[in-house]
């Protein structure tokens, strides 16, 4: 199964890159066991609660394969396509660290003084991620991605 899973990840990643015009970003890191996730140290700790994320400073993408397989039991291969297709989009939205800082600070200013369940700094990060996800997902669906709507069902 390991070879099949590795092939699925590689093919899904290449397909995702192609759908975003092949940006120059590092190859996905996709740990397949809890041990491999822990071995990533700080990044593994961040990844343990997520399906995936892209580290905006270097555009390195991490996919938590066990969580993806669990979340998409009906069709794990399609689930990996959903996740990788979405994550590559973070290369373009929020684009780079500077844009991310500008957007986050604008959101924080709008939230300052509002009654929130947590501080405006943390809330601004959540809002920025939701905004970015919405832009990426809308773009993918407009380009004909049928996996993404399936993944949200």
């Amino acid at each position: 199964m390991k070879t099949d899973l590795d092939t699925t990840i590689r093919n899904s990643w290449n397909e995702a890159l192609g759908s975003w015009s092949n940006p120059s970003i590092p190859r996905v890191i996709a740990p397949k066991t809890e041990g491999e996730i822990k071995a990533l140290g700080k990044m593994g700790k961040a990844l343990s609660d997520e399906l995936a994320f892209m580290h905006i400073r270097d555009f390195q993408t991490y996919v938590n394969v066990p969580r993806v397989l669990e979340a998409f039991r009906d069709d794990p291969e399609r689930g990996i396509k959903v996740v990788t297709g979405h994550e590559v989009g973070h290369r373009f939205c929020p684009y780079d660290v500077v844009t991310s800082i500008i957007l986050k600070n604008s959101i924080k200013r709008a939230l300052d003084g509002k009654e929130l369940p947590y501080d405006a700094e943390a809330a601004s990060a959540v809002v920025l991620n939701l905004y970015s996800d919405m832009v990426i997902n809308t773009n993918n669906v407009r380009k004909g991605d049928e996996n993404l709507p399936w993944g949200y069902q």
Side-chain angles (χ1 to χ4, degrees):
M1 180 170 171
K2 183 177 181 183
T3 303
D4 292 342
L5 186 54
D6 288 340
T7 300
T8 295
I9 293 165
R10 183 179 58 253
N11 291 346
S12 296
W13 181 250
N14 289 337
E15 185 179 315
L17 290 173
S19 74
W20 285 96
S21 300
N22 295 300
S24 179
I25 57 176
R27 182 151 296 281
V28 65
I29 295 174
K32 292 172 274 315
T33 67
E34 294 302 322
E36 289 177 1
I37 292 169
K38 286 181 182 178
L40 293 172
K42 184 173 68 171
M43 290 301 173
K45 187 169 173 54
L47 183 60
S48 66
D49 294 331
E50 304 289 339
L51 289 175
F53 70 88
M54 179 181 278
H55 189 249
I56 193 72
R57 294 197 196 310
D58 59 6
F59 304 114
Q60 179 62 64
T61 303
Y62 298 84
V63 173
N64 184 333
V65 174
R67 285 204 70 186
V68 173
L69 298 179
E70 176 70 23
F72 299 101
R73 286 184 192 186
D74 292 344
D75 192 343
E77 182 174 334
R78 195 170 185 189
I80 290 172
K81 287 181 180 187
V82 168
V83 172
T84 56
H86 170 84
E87 288 304 322
V88 172
H90 281 291
R91 170 57 187 93
F92 302 101
C93 188
Y95 183 66
D96 62 10
V97 175
V98 173
T99 303
S100 182
I101 291 168
I102 291 167
L103 289 171
K104 189 175 173 189
N105 284 336
S106 295
I107 295 165
K108 185 178 180 298
R109 279 196 312 272
L111 295 176
D112 276 337
K114 304 274 194 269
E115 189 174 326
L116 303 167
Y118 36 88
D119 66 79
E121 182 72 26
S124 64
V126 170
V127 170
L128 175 57
N129 189 58
L130 290 172
Y131 166 76
S132 298
D133 287 351
M134 184 177 64
V135 169
I136 292 164
N137 292 346
T138 300
N139 181 68
N140 282 358
V141 171
R142 285 185 176 166
K143 289 191 304 188
D145 184 340
E146 295 178 0
N147 293 318
L148 192 65
W150 169 85
Y152 275 92
Q153 292 178 351

